[in-house]
Amino acid sequence: MANKLQSDNPEQLIYENDLLKLTVLGGVRLEGLDRMRTTLKIELNNSVRPPVRHNLDLYNDTQLEKFIRKCAERLEIGTSIISASLSELTEILENYRLQKIKEQEETLKPKFRKLNLGEIEEAESFLKSNDLLTKTNELIGKSGVIGEEINRLLMYIIFTSRKREQLLHIVSLGSSGTGKTHLQEKVGELIPEEERVSITTLSENAFYYFGKQELKHKVILIEDLDGAENALYPLRELQTKKRIVKTIASKNNKGETKTKYLVVEGPVCVAGCTTKEHIYEDNANRSFLLYLDESQEQDEKIMQYQRQISSGEINFYEQKELQEFLQNTQRILKPITVRNPFANKLNLPQSVFKPRRTNNHYLQFIEAITFYYQFQRERQFDKETGEEYIETTLEDISNANMLLKEVLLRKSDELTGSCRNYLESLKTYLKAQKKKQFTALEIRRQLRLPKTTQWRYHKQLNDSCLIKTIVQKGKQTNRFELTNEKEYKELEAQIQTVLEDCLKDIERSTVPKRSKTKMERLTKTKTAS
């Protein structure tokens, strides 16, 4: 007797022997191994008799016996033949189901790529190179991330922190169409695929149904935080407590209701994009806030890149190679303890809001840079515990200061990011026009802003005493005037002074005065331009 299961179409499994043809319509469910519910179609080979169709559980003897008698009567064939055929089909379907479950489990397992010796040596050589951050930034740019020189490197280092116990998080802020999602996606592609999870939308309980270890030490990329509001609480718990637990009621095989615990462990590195800074304040407090460059210069860079794509000048194969190379450098980074011997001498500017969390972010970011430089740092061992560790250097602190200057400046600003961008654009316009006063309509037309948006900005600016209203007698239109054009520059100078003074104090007490790093020169050149 030739026994065979035709499974080319999983929705129509066909088993055929010398006498009968049995078709499982709709396939079999993989979950619930204690039952085998099927919809069967049984017909005689080479017969004009109509087939028998029925829905039953092959593990239910009562249903099975009734079905066998029904088939014997309709097809006019012995019950023993039908019984034997159904028994063979049941055994074949059991094996088929177990095989599919195993295949499904293998598919869900993360695919870890094993590097060959040449790839390891090439990645190690790069991580040992001088001016590592500068060279990394150049490769990020060549891989397809246009402009955003500071933001892209900042995001890359934060994603690198996923291998540590104290992970960092980032929220990208900017108006619609500025490329928040694109930047996050392109930098995310530089992280190995098995170590990142990209999510478009999230339901309220979505995080609780991941595997217990499925998210551990991974980067979670949320395309739009605006569509994930209901899932933000468990997300915050994963960020802070590195573990979430949910209890649900479920029934066992005996029909008894039992309490079941859903546990998902972290830590995780979370990145998300939004246009609404205040709505996600609780999440923003746990994260670095990255404000995208909305300048005309950045617009021109992106448009020029789009033109190059259209004209066929972009080598996408080379970009893919660079992405894979940076992924390989990430793969060879190994978890190791980082100690900062200068931590007690580092202070934040007093102007920073929420200094407790910001101070922790600042110290952890310095350690993340040291972690990235692990192939250039001497391995040391604790004399008491024997723990292996590497130490932060002055270069790490200097590079962190350069990258975090804008972040700390925004953390010290009482205005929202969008309102600050409006005010700085307003200052630029007034300076170019050599004006002191302006009307709301004039600025709306120049900056192409909706009226309600400008009202919201002016309310913030009035509350902060950064603009004043000039009432004109006999005229319905009021004029406005800035109260302090240099307030942002003064705040920036204050933060820069505090960071530089800390570094100089450490340098004086440890090593001779050193020359500026290439990263510092690059940043200052960009700022000046």
Side-chain angles (χ1 to χ4, degrees):
M1 188 177 292
N3 298 332
K4 186 177 181 182
L5 184 69
Q6 300 175 28
S7 57
D8 297 336
N9 183 356
E11 292 295 312
Q12 182 175 297
L13 305 175
I14 300 174
Y15 161 76
E16 194 171 3
N17 56 33
D18 294 338
L19 296 174
L20 295 173
K21 180 180 179 182
L22 292 80
T23 305
V24 183
L25 302 174
V28 292
R29 298 185 64 178
L30 301 184
E31 62 274 7
L33 294 181
D34 58 335
R35 61 186 65 87
M36 181 77 77
R37 292 204 61 84
T38 59
T39 299
L40 290 181
K41 173 185 174 183
I42 299 183
E43 53 192 320
L44 281 171
N45 291 333
N46 304 318
S47 175
V48 294
R49 291 181 180 278
V52 180
R53 296 176 180 87
H54 197 73
N55 183 288
L56 78 159
D57 184 355
L58 293 176
Y59 288 169
N60 189 311
D61 284 343
T62 304
Q63 292 182 18
L64 199 58
E65 288 176 4
K66 290 181 180 179
F67 181 62
I68 290 171
R69 289 196 297 269
K70 181 179 180 180
C71 290
E73 180 182 342
R74 292 273 190 90
L75 300 176
E76 295 186 357
I77 190 174
T79 57
S80 59
I81 296 175
I82 298 174
S83 178
S85 299
L86 288 174
S87 178
E88 291 167 0
L89 174 64
T90 303
E91 187 174 348
I92 291 173
L93 288 178
E94 285 178 344
N95 294 331
Y96 168 81
R97 185 161 65 174
L98 291 174
Q99 179 187 347
K100 287 298 178 183
I101 291 173
K102 186 176 181 181
E103 290 176 2
Q104 190 178 70
E105 290 174 350
E106 290 296 324
T107 303
L108 293 175
K109 286 182 180 179
K111 302 293 188 295
F112 293 98
R113 183 185 167 192
K114 189 174 182 180
L115 303 183
N116 59 45
L117 186 59
E119 290 173 328
I120 293 174
E121 290 177 350
E122 187 180 12
E124 283 187 3
S125 176
F126 175 76
L127 291 173
K128 292 177 181 177
S129 59
N130 296 327
D131 296 321
L132 175 59
L133 283 185
T134 303
K135 291 179 179 178
T136 300
N137 206 0
E138 290 172 355
L139 290 186
I140 294 173
K142 291 178 180 178
S143 71
V145 184
I146 308 304
E148 300 285 2
E149 287 82 1
I150 299 300
N151 286 341
R152 70 194 188 193
L153 184 57
L154 181 67
M155 185 178 286
Y156 184 77
I157 295 298
I158 288 174
F159 288 174
T160 301
S161 73
R162 74 194 181 282
K163 292 195 171 186
R164 307 189 65 239
E165 286 305 314
Q166 295 295 328
L167 278 66
L168 302 173
H169 317 281
I170 191 165
V171 174
S172 299
L173 296 156
S175 55
S176 179
T178 53
K180 303 179 296 297
T181 304
H182 178 74
L183 176 64
Q184 178 177 279
E185 178 186 347
K186 297 300 290 185
V187 177
E189 288 175 355
L190 307 179
I191 304 301
E193 185 178 357
E194 65 271 15
E195 296 179 32
R196 71 175 188 265
V197 178
S198 298
I199 299 173
T200 304
T201 58
L202 278 168
S203 63
E204 183 175 359
N205 295 315
F207 277 112
Y208 295 105
Y209 291 94
F210 281 100
K212 186 176 181 179
Q213 304 282 328
E214 192 174 349
L215 297 180
K216 199 166 187 177
H217 292 290
K218 288 188 179 180
V219 177
I220 299 177
L221 305 174
I222 303 175
E223 187 174 307
D224 188 359
L225 285 173
D226 298 344
E229 294 181 47
N230 294 331
L232 292 183
Y233 175 72
L235 187 64
R236 289 195 295 270
E237 293 299 294
L238 265 178
Q239 288 176 286
T240 305
K241 298 181 180 178
K242 304 176 186 177
R243 187 173 187 262
I244 54 175
V245 181
K246 183 181 180 68
T247 58
I248 61 172
S250 62
K251 291 186 177 181
N252 59 19
N253 296 338
K254 299 179 180 179
E256 300 170 336
T257 302
K258 297 289 184 180
T259 299
K260 184 178 179 181
Y261 291 90
L262 302 177
V263 181
V264 179
E265 294 184 350
V268 295
C269 171
V270 179
C273 305
T274 182
T275 59
K276 304 173 184 178
E277 181 176 347
H278 271 311
I279 291 181
Y280 307 105
E281 187 174 359
D282 284 343
N283 291 77
N285 290 338
R286 293 167 169 79
S287 310
F288 285 82
L289 302 184
L290 188 153
Y291 292 87
L292 265 69
D293 185 356
E294 300 184 30
S295 66
Q296 291 184 353
E297 180 185 359
Q298 175 66 8
D299 290 342
E300 184 55 39
K301 287 180 182 178
I302 294 174
M303 289 188 292
Q304 179 59 28
Y305 180 72
Q306 292 168 345
R307 296 184 193 108
Q308 290 176 327
I309 293 176
S310 182
S311 63
E313 298 177 30
I314 301 299
N315 188 339
F316 291 106
Y317 179 76
E318 181 182 357
Q319 288 186 358
K320 187 66 176 177
E321 281 190 327
L322 288 173
Q323 288 176 4
E324 291 178 356
F325 174 72
L326 287 173
Q327 287 178 10
N328 290 344
T329 63
Q330 289 285 322
R331 287 186 174 102
I332 68 170
L333 292 172
K334 303 299 180 185
I336 188 170
T337 300
V338 176
R339 295 185 181 180
N340 184 355
F342 312 110
N344 290 327
K345 299 180 180 180
L346 295 173
N347 297 309
L348 284 180
Q350 293 182 352
S351 57
V352 170
F353 296 111
K354 298 182 177 63
R356 297 180 184 181
R357 272 184 170 158
T358 304
N359 183 62
N360 187 52
H361 289 162
Y362 176 53
L363 295 174
Q364 292 301 326
F365 187 78
I366 293 173
E367 291 184 16
I369 290 181
T370 305
F371 177 81
Y372 188 56
Y373 272 86
Q374 62 181 252
F375 284 92
Q376 300 185 35
R377 300 290 178 259
E378 180 184 356
R379 302 294 175 110
Q380 303 185 50
F381 295 89
D382 190 292
K383 294 181 180 179
E384 295 182 0
T385 64
E387 181 185 25
E388 185 180 20
Y389 66 93
I390 55 177
E391 286 191 346
T392 294
T393 66
L394 292 175
E395 182 184 9
D396 299 334
I397 299 174
S398 178
N399 285 329
N401 289 347
M402 291 301 104
L403 290 173
L404 291 181
K405 184 172 67 174
E406 179 69 18
V407 172
L408 294 176
L409 183 58
R410 296 283 189 165
K411 288 276 189 180
S412 306
D413 194 358
E414 59 183 308
L415 301 179
T416 62
S418 55
C419 185
R420 170 55 64 185
N421 291 340
Y422 168 76
L423 179 57
E424 294 307 304
S425 298
L426 174 60
K427 291 178 183 177
T428 302
Y429 170 75
L430 294 177
K431 184 178 180 181
Q433 299 296 319
K434 297 181 180 179
K435 290 184 176 182
K436 292 292 184 181
Q437 296 182 0
F438 61 93
T439 65
L441 178 60
E442 175 188 6
I443 301 304
R444 281 205 308 274
R445 287 176 174 175
Q446 178 64 30
L447 302 181
R448 292 194 283 185
L449 279 174
K451 191 175 183 179
T452 53
T453 302
Q454 188 185 45
W455 282 351
R456 191 169 66 249
Y457 292 159
H458 279 201
K459 184 178 186 308
Q460 284 191 55
L461 295 174
N462 273 312
D463 292 343
S464 302
C465 300
L466 292 175
I467 63 171
K468 62 182 179 180
T469 305
I470 310 297
V471 179
Q472 302 181 92
K473 291 183 179 180
K475 294 184 179 181
Q476 293 182 346
T477 304
N478 293 330
R479 299 185 70 83
F480 301 92
E481 184 177 327
L482 299 180
T483 58
N484 185 358
E485 298 177 4
K486 299 180 180 179
E487 48 86 26
Y488 201 52
K489 292 291 183 182
E490 291 169 355
L491 181 61
E492 183 179 11
Q494 177 190 349
I495 291 173
Q496 185 68 24
T497 300
V498 172
L499 296 178
E500 288 181 353
D501 287 348
C502 285
L503 199 56
K504 287 176 182 177
D505 289 342
I506 295 172
E507 287 178 330
R508 281 195 293 266
S509 63
T510 53
V511 296
K513 189 175 181 180
R514 61 185 179 79
S515 61
K516 293 176 181 176
T517 65
K518 187 174 178 182
M519 190 66 206
E520 289 175 298
R521 295 195 297 271
L522 174 67
T523 307
K524 289 193 174 182
T525 302
K526 182 178 182 300
T527 303
S529 64

